[in-house]
mmCIF file of all heavy atoms in Angstrom:
data_model
loop_
_atom_site.group_PDB
_atom_site.id
_atom_site.type_symbol
_atom_site.label_atom_id
_atom_site.label_comp_id
_atom_site.label_asym_id
_atom_site.label_seq_id
_atom_site.Cartn_x
_atom_site.Cartn_y
_atom_site.Cartn_z
ATOM 1 N N MET A 1 -51.332 49.364 20.264
ATOM 2 C CA MET A 1 -50.175 48.741 20.945
ATOM 3 C C MET A 1 -49.620 47.607 20.294
ATOM 4 O O MET A 1 -50.302 46.643 20.152
ATOM 5 C CB MET A 1 -50.339 48.468 22.417
ATOM 6 C CG MET A 1 -49.127 48.259 23.221
ATOM 7 S SD MET A 1 -49.344 48.482 24.966
ATOM 8 C CE MET A 1 -50.420 47.232 25.450
ATOM 9 N N SER A 2 -48.350 47.668 19.775
ATOM 10 C CA SER A 2 -47.915 46.516 19.086
ATOM 11 C C SER A 2 -46.865 45.740 19.853
ATOM 12 O O SER A 2 -46.005 46.348 20.551
ATOM 13 C CB SER A 2 -47.247 46.959 17.715
ATOM 14 O OG SER A 2 -46.177 47.715 18.005
ATOM 15 N N VAL A 3 -46.970 44.451 19.764
ATOM 16 C CA VAL A 3 -45.967 43.585 20.564
ATOM 17 C C VAL A 3 -44.928 43.291 19.561
ATOM 18 O O VAL A 3 -45.116 42.781 18.470
ATOM 19 C CB VAL A 3 -46.709 42.294 20.994
ATOM 20 C CG1 VAL A 3 -45.745 41.532 21.746
ATOM 21 C CG2 VAL A 3 -47.905 42.755 21.817
ATOM 22 N N SER A 4 -43.668 43.550 19.971
ATOM 23 C CA SER A 4 -42.571 43.096 18.970
ATOM 24 C C SER A 4 -41.695 42.071 19.716
ATOM 25 O O SER A 4 -41.672 42.001 20.898
ATOM 26 C CB SER A 4 -41.760 44.321 18.752
ATOM 27 O OG SER A 4 -41.196 44.889 19.830
ATOM 28 N N GLY A 5 -41.244 41.192 18.851
ATOM 29 C CA GLY A 5 -40.301 40.230 19.471
ATOM 30 C C GLY A 5 -40.817 38.773 19.071
ATOM 31 O O GLY A 5 -41.782 38.754 18.206
ATOM 32 N N LEU A 6 -40.177 37.789 19.452
ATOM 33 C CA LEU A 6 -40.516 36.408 19.155
ATOM 34 C C LEU A 6 -41.400 35.865 20.233
ATOM 35 O O LEU A 6 -41.387 36.151 21.324
ATOM 36 C CB LEU A 6 -39.327 35.642 18.780
ATOM 37 C CG LEU A 6 -38.437 36.040 17.569
ATOM 38 C CD1 LEU A 6 -37.177 35.282 17.564
ATOM 39 C CD2 LEU A 6 -39.257 35.932 16.305
ATOM 40 N N CYS A 7 -42.174 34.844 19.858
ATOM 41 C CA CYS A 7 -43.048 34.123 20.669
ATOM 42 C C CYS A 7 -42.179 33.460 21.765
ATOM 43 O O CYS A 7 -41.210 32.861 21.419
ATOM 44 C CB CYS A 7 -43.760 33.010 19.734
ATOM 45 S SG CYS A 7 -44.630 31.752 20.886
ATOM 46 N N SER A 8 -42.617 33.628 23.040
ATOM 47 C CA SER A 8 -41.793 33.060 24.192
ATOM 48 C C SER A 8 -42.048 31.529 24.195
ATOM 49 O O SER A 8 -41.487 30.975 25.095
ATOM 50 C CB SER A 8 -42.033 33.839 25.354
ATOM 51 O OG SER A 8 -43.366 34.184 25.524
ATOM 52 N N VAL A 9 -43.002 31.082 23.531
ATOM 53 C CA VAL A 9 -43.270 29.587 23.553
ATOM 54 C C VAL A 9 -42.417 28.848 22.637
ATOM 55 O O VAL A 9 -41.622 27.947 22.970
ATOM 56 C CB VAL A 9 -44.806 29.154 23.398
ATOM 57 C CG1 VAL A 9 -44.978 27.647 23.463
ATOM 58 C CG2 VAL A 9 -45.629 29.858 24.511
ATOM 59 N N CYS A 10 -42.497 29.305 21.305
ATOM 60 C CA CYS A 10 -41.705 28.562 20.262
ATOM 61 C C CYS A 10 -40.414 29.277 19.906
ATOM 62 O O CYS A 10 -39.526 28.689 19.445
ATOM 63 C CB CYS A 10 -42.668 28.349 19.061
ATOM 64 S SG CYS A 10 -43.296 29.818 18.295
ATOM 65 N N GLY A 11 -40.441 30.505 20.256
ATOM 66 C CA GLY A 11 -39.249 31.383 19.836
ATOM 67 C C GLY A 11 -38.970 31.468 18.397
ATOM 68 O O GLY A 11 -37.897 31.803 17.962
ATOM 69 N N ASN A 12 -39.966 31.102 17.705
ATOM 70 C CA ASN A 12 -39.808 31.007 16.290
ATOM 71 C C ASN A 12 -40.606 31.906 15.449
ATOM 72 O O ASN A 12 -40.228 32.297 14.309
ATOM 73 C CB ASN A 12 -40.132 29.527 16.002
ATOM 74 C CG ASN A 12 -39.211 28.803 15.116
ATOM 75 O OD1 ASN A 12 -38.322 29.492 14.472
ATOM 76 N ND2 ASN A 12 -39.343 27.491 14.985
ATOM 77 N N ALA A 13 -41.831 32.207 15.868
ATOM 78 C CA ALA A 13 -42.689 33.188 15.206
ATOM 79 C C ALA A 13 -42.847 34.411 15.789
ATOM 80 O O ALA A 13 -42.478 34.626 16.979
ATOM 81 C CB ALA A 13 -43.978 32.386 15.027
ATOM 82 N N GLN A 14 -43.258 35.349 15.049
ATOM 83 C CA GLN A 14 -43.396 36.726 15.499
ATOM 84 C C GLN A 14 -44.566 36.818 16.511
ATOM 85 O O GLN A 14 -45.599 36.238 16.322
ATOM 86 C CB GLN A 14 -43.823 37.687 14.453
ATOM 87 C CG GLN A 14 -43.936 39.194 14.634
ATOM 88 C CD GLN A 14 -42.562 39.683 14.933
ATOM 89 O OE1 GLN A 14 -41.525 39.522 14.337
ATOM 90 N NE2 GLN A 14 -42.458 40.496 16.008
ATOM 91 N N ALA A 15 -44.199 37.373 17.798
ATOM 92 C CA ALA A 15 -45.411 37.335 18.764
ATOM 93 C C ALA A 15 -46.400 38.452 18.471
ATOM 94 O O ALA A 15 -46.034 39.468 17.888
ATOM 95 C CB ALA A 15 -44.711 37.735 20.037
ATOM 96 N N GLN A 16 -47.628 38.106 18.634
ATOM 97 C CA GLN A 16 -48.680 39.028 18.308
ATOM 98 C C GLN A 16 -49.628 39.273 19.445
ATOM 99 O O GLN A 16 -50.380 40.156 19.358
ATOM 100 C CB GLN A 16 -49.455 38.433 17.128
ATOM 101 C CG GLN A 16 -48.725 38.431 15.883
ATOM 102 C CD GLN A 16 -49.603 37.747 14.807
ATOM 103 O OE1 GLN A 16 -50.630 38.421 14.363
ATOM 104 N NE2 GLN A 16 -49.311 36.579 14.353
ATOM 105 N N PHE A 17 -49.497 38.497 20.493
ATOM 106 C CA PHE A 17 -50.394 38.523 21.668
ATOM 107 C C PHE A 17 -49.597 38.594 22.963
ATOM 108 O O PHE A 17 -48.546 38.050 23.028
ATOM 109 C CB PHE A 17 -51.397 37.398 21.641
ATOM 110 C CG PHE A 17 -52.176 37.362 20.254
ATOM 111 C CD1 PHE A 17 -51.752 36.439 19.325
ATOM 112 C CD2 PHE A 17 -53.374 38.099 20.132
ATOM 113 C CE1 PHE A 17 -52.518 36.383 18.193
ATOM 114 C CE2 PHE A 17 -54.064 37.957 18.953
ATOM 115 C CZ PHE A 17 -53.619 37.146 18.059
ATOM 116 N N THR A 18 -50.277 39.164 23.995
ATOM 117 C CA THR A 18 -49.712 39.091 25.262
ATOM 118 C C THR A 18 -50.562 38.258 26.217
ATOM 119 O O THR A 18 -51.788 38.513 26.182
ATOM 120 C CB THR A 18 -49.541 40.496 25.867
ATOM 121 O OG1 THR A 18 -48.846 41.296 24.973
ATOM 122 C CG2 THR A 18 -48.740 40.490 27.075
ATOM 123 N N CYS A 19 -50.007 37.295 26.913
ATOM 124 C CA CYS A 19 -50.672 36.543 27.868
ATOM 125 C C CYS A 19 -51.265 37.364 28.981
ATOM 126 O O CYS A 19 -50.517 38.062 29.641
ATOM 127 C CB CYS A 19 -49.833 35.387 28.355
ATOM 128 S SG CYS A 19 -50.599 34.478 29.664
ATOM 129 N N ASP A 20 -52.490 37.280 29.303
ATOM 130 C CA ASP A 20 -53.118 38.016 30.390
ATOM 131 C C ASP A 20 -52.640 37.460 31.828
ATOM 132 O O ASP A 20 -52.915 38.126 32.800
ATOM 133 C CB ASP A 20 -54.596 37.922 30.462
ATOM 134 C CG ASP A 20 -55.289 38.972 29.429
ATOM 135 O OD1 ASP A 20 -54.435 39.752 29.012
ATOM 136 O OD2 ASP A 20 -56.456 38.778 29.083
ATOM 137 N N ARG A 21 -52.062 36.374 31.843
ATOM 138 C CA ARG A 21 -51.688 35.692 33.122
ATOM 139 C C ARG A 21 -50.243 35.952 33.430
ATOM 140 O O ARG A 21 -49.945 36.472 34.517
ATOM 141 C CB ARG A 21 -52.033 34.272 33.039
ATOM 142 C CG ARG A 21 -51.841 33.537 34.362
ATOM 143 C CD ARG A 21 -52.472 32.285 34.316
ATOM 144 N NE ARG A 21 -52.319 31.415 35.488
ATOM 145 C CZ ARG A 21 -51.375 30.476 35.703
ATOM 146 N NH1 ARG A 21 -50.428 30.184 34.604
ATOM 147 N NH2 ARG A 21 -51.297 29.772 36.731
ATOM 148 N N CYS A 22 -49.365 35.459 32.533
ATOM 149 C CA CYS A 22 -47.931 35.562 32.795
ATOM 150 C C CYS A 22 -47.215 36.795 32.084
ATOM 151 O O CYS A 22 -46.085 37.066 32.318
ATOM 152 C CB CYS A 22 -47.236 34.299 32.491
ATOM 153 S SG CYS A 22 -47.130 33.847 30.788
ATOM 154 N N GLY A 23 -47.977 37.304 31.140
ATOM 155 C CA GLY A 23 -47.344 38.510 30.415
ATOM 156 C C GLY A 23 -46.515 38.116 29.367
ATOM 157 O O GLY A 23 -45.818 38.984 28.605
ATOM 158 N N ALA A 24 -46.345 36.876 29.021
ATOM 159 C CA ALA A 24 -45.471 36.389 27.895
ATOM 160 C C ALA A 24 -46.131 36.819 26.533
ATOM 161 O O ALA A 24 -47.333 36.902 26.423
ATOM 162 C CB ALA A 24 -45.404 34.862 27.879
ATOM 163 N N VAL A 25 -45.163 37.146 25.647
ATOM 164 C CA VAL A 25 -45.640 37.541 24.329
ATOM 165 C C VAL A 25 -45.626 36.189 23.409
ATOM 166 O O VAL A 25 -44.611 35.503 23.443
ATOM 167 C CB VAL A 25 -44.822 38.674 23.659
ATOM 168 C CG1 VAL A 25 -45.090 40.036 24.356
ATOM 169 C CG2 VAL A 25 -43.403 38.317 23.739
ATOM 170 N N VAL A 26 -46.723 35.934 22.726
ATOM 171 C CA VAL A 26 -46.809 34.718 22.006
ATOM 172 C C VAL A 26 -47.338 34.963 20.650
ATOM 173 O O VAL A 26 -48.080 35.993 20.371
ATOM 174 C CB VAL A 26 -47.710 33.621 22.800
ATOM 175 C CG1 VAL A 26 -46.997 33.195 24.102
ATOM 176 C CG2 VAL A 26 -49.110 34.209 23.062
ATOM 177 N N CYS A 27 -47.019 33.969 19.747
ATOM 178 C CA CYS A 27 -47.586 34.107 18.336
ATOM 179 C C CYS A 27 -48.986 33.512 18.457
ATOM 180 O O CYS A 27 -49.501 33.050 19.470
ATOM 181 C CB CYS A 27 -46.758 33.161 17.511
ATOM 182 S SG CYS A 27 -46.857 31.480 17.737
ATOM 183 N N GLN A 28 -49.770 33.649 17.354
ATOM 184 C CA GLN A 28 -51.065 33.231 17.195
ATOM 185 C C GLN A 28 -51.243 31.755 17.560
ATOM 186 O O GLN A 28 -52.261 31.395 18.171
ATOM 187 C CB GLN A 28 -51.654 33.526 15.833
ATOM 188 C CG GLN A 28 -53.150 33.367 15.648
ATOM 189 C CD GLN A 28 -53.617 34.017 14.447
ATOM 190 O OE1 GLN A 28 -52.844 34.083 13.448
ATOM 191 N NE2 GLN A 28 -54.903 34.353 14.392
ATOM 192 N N GLU A 29 -50.327 31.058 17.146
ATOM 193 C CA GLU A 29 -50.310 29.690 17.388
ATOM 194 C C GLU A 29 -50.321 29.239 18.786
ATOM 195 O O GLU A 29 -50.942 28.222 19.249
ATOM 196 C CB GLU A 29 -49.026 29.043 16.756
ATOM 197 C CG GLU A 29 -49.010 27.570 16.654
ATOM 198 C CD GLU A 29 -49.527 26.928 15.381
ATOM 199 O OE1 GLU A 29 -50.100 27.829 14.517
ATOM 200 O OE2 GLU A 29 -49.482 25.768 15.083
ATOM 201 N N HIS A 30 -49.631 30.072 19.737
ATOM 202 C CA HIS A 30 -49.574 29.797 21.027
ATOM 203 C C HIS A 30 -50.423 30.628 21.978
ATOM 204 O O HIS A 30 -50.044 30.725 23.211
ATOM 205 C CB HIS A 30 -48.062 29.767 21.436
ATOM 206 C CG HIS A 30 -47.302 28.639 20.768
ATOM 207 N ND1 HIS A 30 -46.427 28.873 19.842
ATOM 208 C CD2 HIS A 30 -47.359 27.315 20.929
ATOM 209 C CE1 HIS A 30 -46.013 27.645 19.393
ATOM 210 N NE2 HIS A 30 -46.534 26.734 20.076
ATOM 211 N N TYR A 31 -51.384 31.285 21.428
ATOM 212 C CA TYR A 31 -52.238 32.081 22.127
ATOM 213 C C TYR A 31 -53.550 31.477 22.172
ATOM 214 O O TYR A 31 -54.091 31.061 21.159
ATOM 215 C CB TYR A 31 -52.310 33.496 21.490
ATOM 216 C CG TYR A 31 -53.263 34.545 22.182
ATOM 217 C CD1 TYR A 31 -52.852 35.112 23.477
ATOM 218 C CD2 TYR A 31 -54.489 34.824 21.739
ATOM 219 C CE1 TYR A 31 -53.704 35.914 23.997
ATOM 220 C CE2 TYR A 31 -55.308 35.748 22.242
ATOM 221 C CZ TYR A 31 -54.952 36.306 23.400
ATOM 222 O OH TYR A 31 -55.807 37.196 24.031
ATOM 223 N N ASP A 32 -54.176 31.426 23.397
ATOM 224 C CA ASP A 32 -55.477 30.867 23.515
ATOM 225 C C ASP A 32 -56.529 31.946 23.696
ATOM 226 O O ASP A 32 -56.644 32.518 24.725
ATOM 227 C CB ASP A 32 -55.476 29.893 24.743
ATOM 228 C CG ASP A 32 -56.735 29.128 24.865
ATOM 229 O OD1 ASP A 32 -57.807 29.628 25.159
ATOM 230 O OD2 ASP A 32 -56.688 27.934 24.675
ATOM 231 N N ALA A 33 -57.230 32.119 22.575
ATOM 232 C CA ALA A 33 -58.114 33.261 22.538
ATOM 233 C C ALA A 33 -59.296 33.063 23.544
ATOM 234 O O ALA A 33 -59.805 34.022 23.985
ATOM 235 C CB ALA A 33 -58.681 33.344 21.127
ATOM 236 N N ALA A 34 -59.661 31.867 23.787
ATOM 237 C CA ALA A 34 -60.809 31.624 24.738
ATOM 238 C C ALA A 34 -60.438 32.129 26.075
ATOM 239 O O ALA A 34 -61.349 32.647 26.815
ATOM 240 C CB ALA A 34 -60.999 30.057 24.714
ATOM 241 N N THR A 35 -59.262 32.053 26.532
ATOM 242 C CA THR A 35 -58.870 32.466 27.908
ATOM 243 C C THR A 35 -58.158 33.794 27.934
ATOM 244 O O THR A 35 -58.024 34.472 28.846
ATOM 245 C CB THR A 35 -57.995 31.351 28.551
ATOM 246 O OG1 THR A 35 -56.860 31.051 27.761
ATOM 247 C CG2 THR A 35 -58.691 30.031 28.835
ATOM 248 N N GLY A 36 -57.498 34.085 26.794
ATOM 249 C CA GLY A 36 -56.754 35.367 26.839
ATOM 250 C C GLY A 36 -55.293 34.990 27.216
ATOM 251 O O GLY A 36 -54.497 35.892 27.621
ATOM 252 N N PHE A 37 -54.929 33.684 27.408
ATOM 253 C CA PHE A 37 -53.662 33.348 27.979
ATOM 254 C C PHE A 37 -52.816 32.700 26.909
ATOM 255 O O PHE A 37 -53.327 32.308 25.877
ATOM 256 C CB PHE A 37 -53.764 32.342 29.027
ATOM 257 C CG PHE A 37 -54.601 32.761 30.239
ATOM 258 C CD1 PHE A 37 -55.223 31.901 31.105
ATOM 259 C CD2 PHE A 37 -54.793 34.121 30.551
ATOM 260 C CE1 PHE A 37 -55.993 32.208 32.194
ATOM 261 C CE2 PHE A 37 -55.579 34.532 31.688
ATOM 262 C CZ PHE A 37 -56.143 33.615 32.530
ATOM 263 N N CYS A 38 -51.578 32.521 27.198
ATOM 264 C CA CYS A 38 -50.777 31.683 26.302
ATOM 265 C C CYS A 38 -51.108 30.268 26.417
ATOM 266 O O CYS A 38 -51.818 29.901 27.456
ATOM 267 C CB CYS A 38 -49.203 31.863 26.609
ATOM 268 S SG CYS A 38 -48.741 31.328 28.285
ATOM 269 N N THR A 39 -50.711 29.462 25.537
ATOM 270 C CA THR A 39 -51.139 28.008 25.648
ATOM 271 C C THR A 39 -50.687 27.320 26.915
ATOM 272 O O THR A 39 -51.239 26.475 27.417
ATOM 273 C CB THR A 39 -50.714 27.145 24.369
ATOM 274 O OG1 THR A 39 -49.343 27.554 24.138
ATOM 275 C CG2 THR A 39 -51.496 27.715 23.272
ATOM 276 N N GLU A 40 -49.491 27.808 27.419
ATOM 277 C CA GLU A 40 -48.944 27.240 28.558
ATOM 278 C C GLU A 40 -49.827 27.527 29.720
ATOM 279 O O GLU A 40 -50.196 26.677 30.527
ATOM 280 C CB GLU A 40 -47.482 27.930 28.929
ATOM 281 C CG GLU A 40 -46.534 27.731 27.718
ATOM 282 C CD GLU A 40 -45.579 26.653 27.858
ATOM 283 O OE1 GLU A 40 -44.697 26.843 28.754
ATOM 284 O OE2 GLU A 40 -45.690 25.551 27.248
ATOM 285 N N CYS A 41 -50.287 28.747 30.012
ATOM 286 C CA CYS A 41 -51.052 29.137 30.987
ATOM 287 C C CYS A 41 -52.470 28.491 30.944
ATOM 288 O O CYS A 41 -52.963 27.951 31.760
ATOM 289 C CB CYS A 41 -51.137 30.640 31.156
ATOM 290 S SG CYS A 41 -49.676 31.480 31.792
ATOM 291 N N ALA A 42 -53.031 28.417 29.654
ATOM 292 C CA ALA A 42 -54.226 27.899 29.363
ATOM 293 C C ALA A 42 -54.320 26.482 29.786
ATOM 294 O O ALA A 42 -55.302 25.935 30.426
ATOM 295 C CB ALA A 42 -54.563 28.035 27.922
ATOM 296 N N ALA A 43 -53.229 25.713 29.445
ATOM 297 C CA ALA A 43 -53.139 24.318 29.950
ATOM 298 C C ALA A 43 -53.062 24.151 31.429
ATOM 299 O O ALA A 43 -53.711 23.330 31.922
ATOM 300 C CB ALA A 43 -51.860 23.669 29.193
ATOM 301 N N GLU A 44 -52.352 25.043 31.931
ATOM 302 C CA GLU A 44 -52.158 24.919 33.457
ATOM 303 C C GLU A 44 -53.557 25.216 34.128
ATOM 304 O O GLU A 44 -53.975 24.517 35.076
ATOM 305 C CB GLU A 44 -51.134 26.116 33.973
ATOM 306 C CG GLU A 44 -49.811 25.465 34.358
ATOM 307 C CD GLU A 44 -48.962 26.532 34.906
ATOM 308 O OE1 GLU A 44 -49.309 27.222 35.939
ATOM 309 O OE2 GLU A 44 -47.950 26.796 34.374
ATOM 310 N N VAL A 45 -54.192 26.244 33.608
ATOM 311 C CA VAL A 45 -55.527 26.678 34.167
ATOM 312 C C VAL A 45 -56.432 25.547 34.045
ATOM 313 O O VAL A 45 -57.226 25.236 35.001
ATOM 314 C CB VAL A 45 -55.880 27.987 33.567
ATOM 315 C CG1 VAL A 45 -57.481 28.197 33.807
ATOM 316 C CG2 VAL A 45 -55.037 29.146 34.077
ATOM 317 N N ARG A 46 -56.417 24.990 32.956
ATOM 318 C CA ARG A 46 -57.386 23.892 32.715
ATOM 319 C C ARG A 46 -57.112 22.705 33.538
ATOM 320 O O ARG A 46 -58.015 21.943 33.995
ATOM 321 C CB ARG A 46 -57.391 23.481 31.240
ATOM 322 C CG ARG A 46 -58.028 24.497 30.374
ATOM 323 C CD ARG A 46 -58.424 23.856 29.057
ATOM 324 N NE ARG A 46 -58.758 24.973 28.073
ATOM 325 C CZ ARG A 46 -57.985 25.441 27.126
ATOM 326 N NH1 ARG A 46 -56.833 24.832 26.843
ATOM 327 N NH2 ARG A 46 -58.315 26.429 26.398
ATOM 328 N N ARG A 47 -55.864 22.431 33.656
ATOM 329 C CA ARG A 47 -55.336 21.139 34.502
ATOM 330 C C ARG A 47 -55.662 21.473 35.971
ATOM 331 O O ARG A 47 -56.210 20.596 36.587
ATOM 332 C CB ARG A 47 -53.860 21.058 34.246
ATOM 333 C CG ARG A 47 -53.354 19.564 34.370
ATOM 334 C CD ARG A 47 -51.796 19.473 34.263
ATOM 335 N NE ARG A 47 -51.297 20.286 33.227
ATOM 336 C CZ ARG A 47 -50.337 21.137 33.411
ATOM 337 N NH1 ARG A 47 -49.698 21.311 34.595
ATOM 338 N NH2 ARG A 47 -49.810 21.828 32.408
ATOM 339 N N GLY A 48 -55.153 22.621 36.525
ATOM 340 C CA GLY A 48 -55.300 22.750 37.918
ATOM 341 C C GLY A 48 -56.486 23.703 38.287
ATOM 342 O O GLY A 48 -56.340 24.713 38.645
ATOM 343 N N ARG A 49 -57.641 23.165 38.111
ATOM 344 C CA ARG A 49 -58.904 23.816 38.403
ATOM 345 C C ARG A 49 -59.031 24.197 39.755
ATOM 346 O O ARG A 49 -59.730 25.113 40.181
ATOM 347 C CB ARG A 49 -60.096 23.096 37.872
ATOM 348 C CG ARG A 49 -60.193 22.998 36.324
ATOM 349 C CD ARG A 49 -61.178 23.963 35.814
ATOM 350 N NE ARG A 49 -62.533 23.670 36.119
ATOM 351 C CZ ARG A 49 -63.337 23.122 35.303
ATOM 352 N NH1 ARG A 49 -62.919 22.809 34.088
ATOM 353 N NH2 ARG A 49 -64.591 22.873 35.581
ATOM 354 N N GLY A 50 -58.514 23.335 40.741
ATOM 355 C CA GLY A 50 -58.591 23.481 42.134
ATOM 356 C C GLY A 50 -57.798 24.643 42.706
ATOM 357 O O GLY A 50 -58.208 25.208 43.731
ATOM 358 N N GLU A 51 -56.725 24.823 42.186
ATOM 359 C CA GLU A 51 -55.715 25.777 42.603
ATOM 360 C C GLU A 51 -56.174 27.213 42.244
ATOM 361 O O GLU A 51 -56.510 27.482 41.091
ATOM 362 C CB GLU A 51 -54.307 25.605 42.123
ATOM 363 C CG GLU A 51 -53.727 24.374 42.712
ATOM 364 C CD GLU A 51 -52.411 23.991 41.889
ATOM 365 O OE1 GLU A 51 -52.582 23.393 40.898
ATOM 366 O OE2 GLU A 51 -51.351 24.214 42.428
ATOM 367 N N THR A 52 -56.068 28.084 43.185
ATOM 368 C CA THR A 52 -56.471 29.481 42.813
ATOM 369 C C THR A 52 -55.169 30.193 42.670
ATOM 370 O O THR A 52 -54.361 30.275 43.620
ATOM 371 C CB THR A 52 -57.299 30.087 43.965
ATOM 372 O OG1 THR A 52 -56.657 29.773 45.263
ATOM 373 C CG2 THR A 52 -58.727 29.590 44.037
ATOM 374 N N ASP A 53 -54.927 30.761 41.510
ATOM 375 C CA ASP A 53 -53.770 31.418 41.170
ATOM 376 C C ASP A 53 -54.026 32.748 40.526
ATOM 377 O O ASP A 53 -53.485 33.063 39.440
ATOM 378 C CB ASP A 53 -52.843 30.512 40.262
ATOM 379 C CG ASP A 53 -51.578 31.102 39.944
ATOM 380 O OD1 ASP A 53 -51.078 31.761 40.952
ATOM 381 O OD2 ASP A 53 -51.036 30.896 38.940
ATOM 382 N N GLY A 54 -54.881 33.565 41.108
ATOM 383 C CA GLY A 54 -55.249 34.791 40.417
ATOM 384 C C GLY A 54 -56.596 35.348 40.963
ATOM 385 O O GLY A 54 -57.142 34.672 41.783
ATOM 386 N N PRO A 55 -56.930 36.307 40.304
ATOM 387 C CA PRO A 55 -58.256 36.769 40.615
ATOM 388 C C PRO A 55 -59.410 35.862 40.199
ATOM 389 O O PRO A 55 -59.234 35.151 39.130
ATOM 390 C CB PRO A 55 -58.385 38.137 39.754
ATOM 391 C CG PRO A 55 -57.472 37.916 38.672
ATOM 392 C CD PRO A 55 -56.353 37.071 39.210
ATOM 393 N N ARG A 56 -60.491 35.753 40.878
ATOM 394 C CA ARG A 56 -61.549 34.923 40.550
ATOM 395 C C ARG A 56 -61.516 33.687 41.349
ATOM 396 O O ARG A 56 -60.755 32.988 41.577
ATOM 397 C CB ARG A 56 -61.462 34.616 39.140
ATOM 398 C CG ARG A 56 -62.538 33.771 38.525
ATOM 399 C CD ARG A 56 -61.973 33.084 37.363
ATOM 400 N NE ARG A 56 -62.622 33.443 36.253
ATOM 401 C CZ ARG A 56 -63.368 32.519 35.549
ATOM 402 N NH1 ARG A 56 -63.506 31.275 36.108
ATOM 403 N NH2 ARG A 56 -64.025 32.865 34.430
HETATM 404 ZN ZN1 LIG B 101 -45.275 30.284 19.177
HETATM 405 ZN ZN1 LIG B 102 -48.981 32.771 30.085
#
């Protein structure tokens, strides 16, 4: 499955990954492989550890 389009974070680079949380397509630069999220979600998840916003 190939993702086409531009990164929804920078809008500048070819998107190669899909965020598991918000579904945004992001470039390698803005994909957090450790979480499988975009950097936006990864930052949010790390910041708001107390809030439950999904499975788990
Ligand atoms: Zn990007
Ligand atoms: Zn995301």
